Amino acid sequence: VADPNGVAAEIDACSSVDARHLFNTIPEALAGNPSQVCAAALALLRIAGTYGGGEIGGFKGKHIRRPKVDGFIPNRNTLAKRVATLQFPVKVRVTHHDMVNVPFRCTADSLVYIDPPYQGVSGYVHALPRKYVVTLARKCYSAGAAVAVSEHVALPELLADGWIGRKIKSAGGQGRRNTRSTQEWLTVSPNSPGANPGATY
């Protein structure tokens, strides 16, 4: 459990460091087994400086119209403020896998979010067939995990199993580069927080 105020302070301490240098040195810093607070701060900074939707990641560079972003979206000051607003320690372990090639395990306390290429819509580099997505979602749910699958339609195969479709509200054109005019849906397992009738997206 990483204290939010400590994480925010670590992020804030990095505000004066050159953005590109910081981004490039984060992997080495994380490999050095830093403290839990420092590791959480570095991980958040790494995510904020990674190409949105890119497969290999990388520093974003200066924003053409928003130079104050400094290569991180949100910028480091904003990120620190957001983290500091957390009112309690949150125990979370986040893992990111290429589901086709990397074995993984999930447990009853896991929340699995599957965001595959949208069938017939997304031009992603790696294909993840719908049949595999459905099989994977069912496998995780059977293990007790709460599961959500993002697609441009609610998945009928899972709806037939009693899963619930939730339409994601429009983000005003800030969605995926290749799917801005495409509807987005989450198909959530019955034990998912998103299955609550009051859930909004």
Side-chain angles (χ1 to χ4, degrees):
V1 177
D3 173 63
N5 288 324
V7 175
E10 288 283 344
I11 294 173
D12 191 56
C14 295
S15 295
S16 61
V17 182
D18 175 75
R20 182 176 292 278
H21 174 74
L22 175 60
F23 181 85
N24 289 338
T25 56
I26 287 175
E28 183 178 346
L30 287 172
N33 296 317
S35 69
Q36 191 174 39
V37 167
C38 183
L42 291 173
L44 287 172
L45 284 168
R46 184 72 175 172
I47 293 169
T50 301
Y51 285 120
E55 295 295 332
I56 60 173
F59 179 76
K60 292 177 185 290
K62 292 288 187 179
H63 194 287
I64 296 174
R65 291 177 293 277
R66 290 185 291 164
K68 291 184 179 180
V69 168
D70 79 3
F72 292 86
I73 301 177
N75 67 36
R76 289 169 283 183
N77 292 329
T78 302
L79 182 60
K81 290 177 181 178
R82 290 183 180 180
V83 173
T85 60
L86 295 174
Q87 299 300 311
F88 55 90
V90 181
K91 188 174 183 179
V92 178
R93 181 171 62 90
V94 178
T95 59
H96 176 241
H97 297 299
D98 176 343
M99 293 299 192
V100 175
N101 299 313
V102 180
F104 79 103
R105 291 180 295 176
C106 60
T107 60
D109 60 352
S110 298
L111 173 61
V112 177
Y113 171 58
I114 306 173
D115 186 17
Y118 287 7
Q119 182 171 287
V121 176
S122 297
Y124 280 30
V125 176
H126 301 293
L128 193 65
R130 171 73 62 76
K131 181 178 179 180
Y132 185 91
V133 171
V134 171
T135 299
L136 178 63
R138 286 171 172 161
K139 177 181 177 181
C140 294
Y141 178 54
S142 295
V147 185
V149 183
S150 180
E151 247 285 13
H152 75 291
V153 296
L155 303 187
E157 301 92 335
L158 296 177
L159 294 179
D161 292 344
W163 291 43
I164 299 166
R166 299 289 192 194
K167 187 175 182 180
I168 300 175
K169 292 184 177 180
S170 171
Q174 295 183 17
R176 306 163 188 271
R177 180 175 55 188
N178 296 326
T179 58
R180 288 183 178 176
S181 61
T182 302
Q183 292 184 356
E184 295 188 63
W185 287 76
L186 285 182
T187 308
V188 299
S189 57
N191 63 336
S192 167
N196 187 311
T200 58
Y201 303 96

